[in-house]
Amino acid sequence: MSKGCLSAEEWLAEKRVLAGIMTGTSLDAIDVAVVEFFQENENQHRFKIIASDSYPYEFSVKQDILDLIHKETTIRKVTQMHYKLARVYAQSVKKLMQDNNIDFDSLDAIGIHGQTVWHEPGVETDTRMTFQIGAISSLAQLLNTTVVGNFREADTALGGQGAPLIPIFDYEFLGTETDDIIALNIGGISNITLLPAGSSMDNIKAFDVGPGNVLIDAAMRVLYNKAFDDNGDVAAKGEIIPGLLEFLQQNEFIYAEPPKSTGREMFGLPLIHKILNDFAQQNLARDIIHTLSYFTAWCIVHNIKLFGNPKSDIIVSGGGSHNKFILSVIQNELPDSRIRISDEIGIPADTKEAISFAYLAYRTLGGLPGNIPSVTGASHPTILGLVARI
Ligand SMILES: Nc1ncnc2c1ncn2[C@@H]1O[C@H](COP(=O)(O)OP(=O)(O)O)[C@@H](O)[C@H]1O
Ligand SMILES: [Mg+2]
């Protein structure tokens, strides 16, 4: 019998090893983690990271996905990518396991986010949609293990935004009785989880605050032919372009009350094309990167000021944690906060979301809900995901 057929009680009774796979809006890499989870007391979970790494998306795959999102496409092309990604994901998991001498038989299951090709949270339930591709049954066969995927759909079915889903991980593993914590993830999009000291699950808020690296990356590609601004070095040399900053700050999403979530649909290529069209000729390239990076940090700061405690302990993850310019703006604007990269508390910043999706799959197979209604807007907590068995 496959281990995925265990009852929820049987599943939670022993230590479980899960792989988590995350591919976010940046389309930079496939983040993979292998993590051991166990339940200490009733619903008290612990984890140990066995290995984690990121494997860059091949350029052509990245380009094909961007085309699905931004260009007129065909159902055939979407379907093709759905199956192709299963093979790409399987290779990444295999590589991580082989490189770290992890026995394939030790793997109990996989949790996979998939690649978002459309995310439109919508105001009404019937305009709310989110779509992740990557064929989970194929992945289950390729890796010979149970795979849990399509996590977001169950939450949108309950009127939620289907996002963010990482907060349950933050609540379980980052919250404390004594300190106000903010988990900040700077991926393609930036999001925060507010964990006031000693808060119950119903009191936590988590939401997207605006762009993460998505605008900076797109401008770096056009202006410098580079994938990203390493370290934030280009931004650090530039100056603010007031007209551009004012234009960006008009975006209503930044000020909207949570729950809220966003994606490339709002902060994607069309916006960058408009910005470059309006500002690139009269301004220095480094000033554009500076202003976009400042704006990215400002969205984070502004949302913390509006909805959180500016004196919190901020734990940063995601690729943007490598951008020193962004972190320095946040520290300057929130002088009483303490900013740490999540590595400092034992969670690799680049694979935190992959670790979280392994945890979400652990919860699904243990019959535990994965969404937090106060965060997503869903009518009630539910067991997330679809399960593909071998
Ligand atoms: N050394 C670095 N310096 C600055 N930015 C970086 C660095 N490494 C990664 N990044 C940024 O992080 C992004 C990837 O972040 P990630 O958390 O993987 O986002 P997503 O979840 O959207 O894929 C890259 O596209 C890049 O902009
Ligand atoms: Mg990524």
Side-chain angles (χ1 to χ4, degrees):
M1 186 171 72
S2 130
K3 289 184 203 161
C5 291
L6 299 174
S7 71
E9 291 72 28
E10 287 168 327
W11 173 261
L12 293 173
E14 287 180 34
K15 287 184 178 176
R16 301 292 168 196
V17 175
L18 289 97
I21 310 173
M22 177 70 202
T23 43
T25 39
S26 297
L27 300 171
D28 60 317
I30 300 147
D31 305 325
V32 190
V34 177
V35 191
E36 183 180 273
F37 292 96
F38 59 98
Q39 181 158 283
E40 229 170 35
N41 306 309
E42 179 101 10
N43 290 347
Q44 265 286 325
H45 298 152
R46 297 276 176 264
F47 71 94
K48 192 175 105 195
I49 300 163
I50 298 172
S52 78
D53 213 336
S54 299
Y55 302 99
Y57 259 135
E58 261 177 49
F59 186 74
S60 64
V61 177
K62 172 174 176 164
Q63 212 47 51
D64 287 346
I65 297 170
L66 276 175
D67 287 350
L68 294 187
I69 299 170
H70 289 298
K71 291 191 179 159
E72 289 291 318
T73 188
T74 60
I75 296 290
R76 182 170 188 275
K77 283 192 178 153
V78 180
T79 312
Q80 218 173 15
M81 188 52 76
H82 180 57
Y83 283 89
K84 178 166 184 163
L85 281 181
R87 297 192 292 275
V88 172
Y89 290 148
Q91 276 167 6
S92 303
V93 175
K94 276 186 184 155
K95 180 144 177 44
L96 182 73
M97 307 247 326
Q98 279 159 0
D99 287 355
N100 292 278
N101 295 318
I102 302 168
D103 183 2
F104 269 86
D105 288 339
S106 70
L107 198 60
D108 291 300
I110 293 176
I112 174 178
H113 174 266
Q115 181 65 57
T116 297
V117 288
W118 198 257
H119 183 76
E120 192 175 328
V123 184
E124 307 295 334
T125 303
D126 57 2
T127 56
R128 191 161 293 169
M129 42 197 170
T130 185
F131 193 34
Q132 287 74 38
I133 59 170
I136 60 172
S137 293
S138 300
L139 190 61
Q141 293 306 326
L142 287 165
L143 294 174
N144 198 35
T145 192
T146 301
V147 176
V148 188
N150 279 46
F151 287 92
R152 300 197 188 277
E153 215 171 273
D155 186 82
T156 52
L158 295 172
Q161 304 221 347
L165 297 181
I166 308 294
I168 193 108
F169 178 90
D170 296 336
Y171 174 74
E172 293 285 340
F173 300 115
L174 300 185
T176 74
E177 290 298 319
T178 48
D179 301 309
D180 288 351
I181 307 279
I182 297 178
L184 163 65
N185 192 76
I186 313 175
I189 299 297
S190 296
N191 58 68
I192 56 176
T193 304
L194 307 176
L195 301 156
S199 65
S200 68
M201 202 188 282
D202 318 334
N203 286 333
I204 73 168
K205 285 190 191 139
F207 46 93
D208 289 346
V209 297
N213 301 290
V214 66
L215 296 178
I216 306 166
D217 285 358
M220 283 299 294
R221 171 62 60 201
V222 178
L223 298 171
Y224 290 88
N225 198 23
K226 290 197 173 139
F228 58 90
D229 179 15
D230 195 5
N231 228 8
D233 287 345
V234 175
K237 292 192 193 92
E239 288 176 21
I240 290 283
I241 304 169
L244 174 55
L245 185 60
E246 276 159 33
F247 164 72
L248 290 164
Q249 287 175 334
Q250 281 166 15
N251 190 310
E252 285 175 10
F253 177 83
I254 302 153
Y255 314 94
E257 285 279 333
K260 54 180 176 175
S261 58
T262 187
R264 275 187 183 274
E265 301 70 25
M266 183 177 281
F267 296 106
L269 289 179
L271 176 61
I272 271 297
H273 288 152
K274 176 174 168 45
I275 289 169
L276 295 178
N277 195 37
D278 292 355
F279 293 93
Q281 273 186 349
Q282 329 75 298
N283 293 284
L284 295 175
R286 65 173 187 236
D287 292 347
I288 290 186
I289 301 298
H290 177 95
T291 308
L292 292 175
S293 306
Y294 179 85
F295 172 67
T296 300
W298 181 87
C299 292
I300 295 165
V301 167
H302 202 73
N303 272 273
I304 290 176
K305 284 183 177 165
L306 278 176
F307 305 113
N309 173 6
K311 295 185 179 173
S312 297
D313 221 331
I314 304 178
I315 299 170
V316 193
S317 59
S321 65
H322 302 287
N323 189 315
K324 296 210 170 57
F325 175 76
I326 291 180
L327 296 190
S328 74
V329 174
I330 299 172
Q331 186 69 79
N332 281 341
E333 303 275 333
L334 300 174
D336 296 323
S337 67
R338 172 162 77 137
I339 300 180
R340 281 179 297 172
I341 313 275
S342 67
D343 295 73
E344 291 177 47
I345 58 160
I347 302 172
D350 289 321
T351 50
K352 180 187 170 223
E353 294 198 323
I355 294 162
S356 302
F357 272 89
Y359 180 57
L360 282 166
Y362 175 75
R363 291 187 68 96
T364 298
L365 296 170
L368 300 170
N371 63 331
I372 302 180
S374 62
V375 163
T376 62
S379 56
H380 57 82
T382 191
I383 302 169
L384 300 176
L386 302 178
V387 182
R389 302 180 195 276
I390 47 175

